[in-house]
Amino acid sequence: MFEALSGRLSGVFDGLAKRGALSEADVMEAMREVRLAMLDADVALPVVKDFVNKVREGAVGHEVLESISPGQAVAKIVNDALIDALGGAGAVPLNLSATPPVPVLMVGLQGSGKTTTSGKLALRLRTRERKKVLLASLDTQRPAAQLQLAQLAEQAGVVSLPIVAGQTPVEIAHRALDTGRREGYDVVILDTAGRLSIDEALMEEVRQIRDATNPAETLLVVDAMTGQDAVNTAKSFNEAVGVTGVVMSRMDGDARGGAALSMKAITGAPIKLTGSGEKLDALEEFHPERVAGRILGLGDIAGLVEKAADTLDHEEGERLANRMMAGKFDLDDYASQIRQINKLGSISGILGMLPGMGKVKEALGDKDLDTSILRKHQAIISSMTKAERRTPAIIKASRKKRIAAGSGTTVQDVNKLLKQFEMMSTMMKRFNKLGVKGLMRQGMSALMPKGMGGGSPGGPGGSPFR
């Protein structure tokens, strides 16, 4: 979402870094580029003006112009201004400190992902906060909306309020809170109806539900791909019913990311959560400093570590590491490693969270970040017998033909995988033999097979990660 803005800002800082000492004119020229980049990214004009003024005031200071690395000093000022624009450092947590059952009201326009986000939030509260959650659909307008929420509740492992035909949204809300009190629920999530556009009837319905339930949180779900329309929607809802936080759905889209940068300044409501996928676990806290870091190409190591901690199987990881250290790594272990990588998402997404990888992604292009080579390897390994996976050396011509036919690949693909696996095994055996001290003395070149060429990604002598 922020790739275009990130590329433009990186270009500005690269230009400043080459100049050595900076004059005031250099800063003004750089700020002009920053302003154009932000407007192109669909950031609201008042936010752009305020942002550029803040950066200009800091950048034209005596310390910056005469510092040893003025380009880096300006980048630091831009980073701080980005964090401010996004809502200030640190995630804003959900307020769940009221007396149980805590009502959480979900509002927004139709098609913004409100019902799906309600399911995601229920799963998050159940697994991370250890809360007993009740989901209730107040949407009597959209056909099958209540059934959709019931299915999402089942997937999230929480209870949904039984559907009673003919009840009004306010009556359903009262019944949900009564059920919550009687059956000892910690949180009751109320999914309200949406409209195709903002109208007074929608706002009046939401106001009535708000007055009847007195929610601890009123979360507005907006579609990040609608750009400034999302900001205008948030402003209207905030003025009409009062919003305590914003959830931005579809943050994994390729639309321009100006809505996120404009939201706090225009509406006054902080972005609390973001949705980045269709799966129920694809809901994350919004950390302004991490998003600013990714925009400026500084990466998001903390986010990557959190993601790995949540998704990877640590026992399996330890088992694989021990087998690698012992030099007993086989094709079953390699397949397990591929499954672990796939859990983290696309390689492109992982690279985006690493510092300085924006330019690497640009240089490689999308085709080299494709995980199809890993899927192909998985298919080939799945077509082998247990004996073949344990001892790849027994795989000769006839076996290769059978494996290729079974996996829908060619014999050449099977050969590439076996050659690559042989090189990995050789490197692991050498590492085991050298130990950490030996590796520090001789360097990484000691692990490489003798006479090994550079290779190409996924080809003989290459790696899908190179």
Side-chain angles (χ1 to χ4, degrees), residues 112-113 116-117 120 248-253 274-284 307:
S112 61
T116 306
T117 301
K120 289 179 179 181
M248 294 200 80
S249 64
R250 300 190 204 173
M251 281 288 279
D252 55 333
T274 61
S276 52
E278 286 297 314
K279 291 183 180 176
L280 280 185
D281 59 356
L283 188 71
E284 299 164 1
K307 191 173 185 179

Side-chain angles (χ1 to χ4, degrees), residues 47 51 54 80-88 260-265:
V47 177
F51 180 89
K54 264 189 201 169
D80 292 345
L82 271 176
I83 293 170
D84 281 346
L86 288 162
L261 283 162
S262 312
M263 192 62 73
K264 180 72 169 73

